[in-house]
Amino acid sequence: MELKPADIVSSITKEEFINNYYKTQKPLLIKGFARQWEAGEKWNFDYIKEKAGEQIVPLYDSKPADANKSTSEPVVKMKFKEYINHIQSTPSDLRIFFYIITDRLPELLHNFTYPDLGMKFFKRLPTLFFGGSEAKVLMHYDVDLGDFIHVHFEGNKRILLFDQKQSPFLYKVPLSVHTIYEVDYENPDYEKFPALKYAQGYEIFMEHGDALYIPGAFWHFNRYLDAGFSLSLRALPTKPLQFVNMLYHVFVMRYTDKLMRKLLKKKWVDFKQYWAYKRTHKKLKAHLLKQTA
């Protein structure tokens, strides 16, 4: 894979952001972004344990979902404070996925300020994501195709980003928003997955308080290098074609896949993986022929 860093700034005006990143759909890392929040010092594990420690939270690991179970079924559940203590003291791949602040911890809404960058945020869904030092999130893009600001806290995180033009090289699974499960984006096997060599993307390292702008429909792979958590602030698609594409993803593609998974279980999952492998190599062959023509 050919990876390059995203642009990095310590501050940016709304006009600069809109013209240079939002309109061009280009990632941007804003260092120390959360330090400007009046309550920025509250974004840590101790505050979460104090305010929500007794809540029972569902936990997920880094393995692909069992084909015979619902994709939303957690590996285990435990008290929030016990989970945080666990990932702080022990290497772990356990994650909390899509913790909706407005439903579970609404007082946190007073501890940050939506960035004035020209994005129309969907304020119903500010969400938190937690992970231990061995946690990773498989390569995927979000089904709602929305742009979002991703703010990280407590430790370091590595993120890989690819735009949709790179899909032919990433082994995209049909009727899904993820790639083949077997692909290891930390140690790519170019013999088994040769198309990966031609993928061009971004590699970003985040520290406490950093904010990353991720354009809509960008592929992203997340790896927690230390125990930490992140806040995502989403903006839904506004252009007509993007909105229609979002509706297709959410209401047609996703439910078709769920139905087939329910009916065929592992056979459907295995078929899609095989289909992705064959289709990618067919596109790779066409790409190489075009280069040599």
Side-chain angles (χ1 to χ4, degrees):
M1 295 184 292
E2 183 180 330
L3 301 174
K4 62 182 180 181
D7 288 354
I8 302 175
V9 299
S10 56
S11 63
I12 190 169
T13 66
K14 179 194 295 187
E15 291 72 24
E16 288 173 332
F17 176 77
I18 291 174
N19 292 328
N20 298 330
Y21 299 96
Y22 190 53
K23 286 184 177 179
T24 61
Q25 293 287 277
K26 184 179 179 182
L28 174 69
L29 181 65
I30 308 174
K31 296 295 293 182
F33 177 81
R35 296 193 191 112
Q36 65 185 278
W37 295 344
E38 186 175 341
E41 76 282 353
K42 294 182 178 180
W43 288 85
N44 56 60
F45 280 139
D46 289 339
Y47 184 85
I48 300 294
K49 284 194 290 185
E50 176 189 345
K51 299 298 182 180
E54 296 299 319
Q55 291 182 11
I56 303 299
V57 290
L59 304 176
Y60 302 84
D61 59 20
S62 298
K63 299 175 184 176
D66 187 329
N68 295 311
K69 298 179 180 179
S70 168
T71 55
S72 60
E73 186 172 335
V75 174
V76 67
K77 295 181 180 181
M78 66 173 67
K79 285 187 177 182
F80 213 151
K81 63 182 180 182
E82 293 174 358
Y83 166 69
I84 292 176
N85 289 337
H86 170 71
I87 63 174
Q88 284 184 303
S89 61
T90 307
S92 174
D93 71 342
L94 291 178
R95 298 181 293 114
I96 294 176
F97 171 76
F98 218 76
Y99 180 93
I100 301 176
I101 296 174
T102 46
D103 294 339
R104 305 297 303 275
L105 193 54
E107 62 191 274
L108 258 185
L109 297 174
H110 304 296
N111 294 344
F112 72 90
T113 304
Y114 280 95
D116 184 18
L117 295 173
M119 296 172 63
K120 295 182 179 179
F121 292 102
F122 184 40
K123 295 185 177 181
R124 171 67 183 87
L125 284 180
T127 50
L128 296 180
F129 301 81
F130 294 74
S133 61
E134 295 185 347
K136 59 185 177 182
V137 182
L138 298 174
M139 183 70 75
H140 70 288
Y141 64 93
D142 292 353
V143 71
D144 64 10
L145 309 182
D147 298 75
F148 61 100
I149 300 291
H150 192 71
V151 191
H152 189 63
F153 306 98
E154 294 272 22
N156 301 296
K157 192 175 190 179
R158 177 178 183 250
I159 295 182
L160 303 182
L161 298 178
F162 299 89
D163 64 32
Q164 282 292 320
K165 293 178 182 178
Q166 305 305 310
S167 295
F169 308 118
L170 295 176
Y171 295 86
K172 180 186 185 302
V173 173
L175 292 177
S176 302
V177 293
H178 61 81
T179 61
I180 288 179
Y181 294 144
E182 292 179 71
V183 176
D184 182 351
Y185 287 94
E186 295 180 280
N187 298 287
D189 183 344
Y190 293 125
E191 290 190 9
K192 188 171 184 179
F193 302 106
L196 291 176
K197 290 188 293 185
Y198 301 90
Q200 298 177 349
Y202 299 87
E203 181 181 39
I204 297 102
F205 291 93
M206 300 187 70
E207 299 175 316
H208 178 84
D210 291 350
L212 177 64
Y213 166 61
I214 302 180
F218 256 59
W219 292 96
H220 44 285
F221 168 85
N222 298 346
R223 174 68 159 88
Y224 292 84
L225 302 176
D226 309 290
F229 67 101
S230 301
L231 165 70
S232 280
L233 306 174
R234 313 189 67 79
L236 294 179
T238 55
K239 295 180 180 179
L241 288 179
Q242 289 178 327
F243 190 76
V244 170
N245 195 17
M246 182 269 287
L247 293 177
Y248 164 76
H249 272 75
V250 173
F251 296 108
V252 179
M253 188 185 80
R254 185 174 63 159
Y255 283 102
T256 299
D257 185 53
K258 280 188 174 183
L259 176 61
M260 295 301 293
R261 187 185 181 99
K262 185 176 181 179
L263 292 174
L264 300 177
K265 297 183 170 61
K266 190 173 184 300
K267 288 183 179 179
W268 175 244
V269 174
D270 290 345
F271 172 72
K272 288 199 303 174
Q273 299 280 309
Y274 172 80
W275 186 4
Y277 191 85
K278 289 295 184 182
R279 187 172 68 171
T280 297
H281 285 179
K282 182 178 180 180
K283 290 182 177 180
L284 175 61
K285 184 178 180 179
H287 173 74
L288 296 175
L289 287 173
K290 186 178 179 179
Q291 282 190 325
T292 58

